[in-house]
């Protein structure tokens, strides 16, 4: 009975790891969404995915957040040139966020 429980736990851990890895890869595909990247990174950390697999997604998340912030702050301050640069960056990254 103990062996069955041990195998079940290991299977569950492996399944969570595989699902987190797939979600991490999927979150880095076009179109990019900030919330999708955040959720994938959190799930990968909980599933103990190696940090070197998470780093590219974390770097991409940072770039997405920067682009969104740039557009938002430019809109608030009504700086047209900065807004255009932010939109260009968002299009280059393939961001599809609100």
């Amino acid at each position: 009975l103990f062996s069955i429980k041990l195998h079940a736990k290991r299977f569950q851990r492996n399944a969570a790891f595989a699902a987190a890895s797939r979600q991490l890869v999927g979150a880095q595909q076009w179109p990019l969404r900030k919330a999708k990247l955040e959720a994938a990174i959190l799930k990968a950390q909980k599933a103990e995915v190696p940090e070197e697999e998470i780093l590219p997604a974390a770097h991409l998340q940072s770039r997405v957040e920067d682009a969104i912030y740039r557009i938002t702050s430019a809109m608030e301050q009504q700086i047209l040139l900065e807004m255009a640069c932010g939109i260009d960056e968002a299009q280059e990254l393939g961001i599809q966020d609100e």
Side-chain angles (χ1 to χ4, degrees), residues 21-83:
S21 294
R22 281 192 307 274
Q23 186 177 359
L24 198 58
V25 170
Q28 295 177 69
Q29 304 298 319
W30 189 85
L32 296 177
R33 291 190 172 90
K34 179 182 164 191
K36 192 174 179 183
L37 280 165
E38 289 173 349
I41 291 170
L42 285 174
K43 187 172 186 175
Q45 289 170 337
K46 286 181 183 176
E48 298 177 3
V49 172
E51 194 66 29
E52 53 271 0
E53 290 184 34
I54 297 174
L55 281 177
H59 177 68
L60 192 56
Q61 178 191 12
S62 175
R63 290 183 63 197
V64 167
E65 287 174 344
D66 289 347
I68 291 171
Y69 176 78
R70 188 175 193 176
I71 293 169
T72 305
S73 65
M75 286 173 57
E76 289 172 357
Q77 297 174 17
Q78 298 178 352
I79 304 171
L80 189 57
L81 183 60
E82 189 70 22
M83 193 182 323

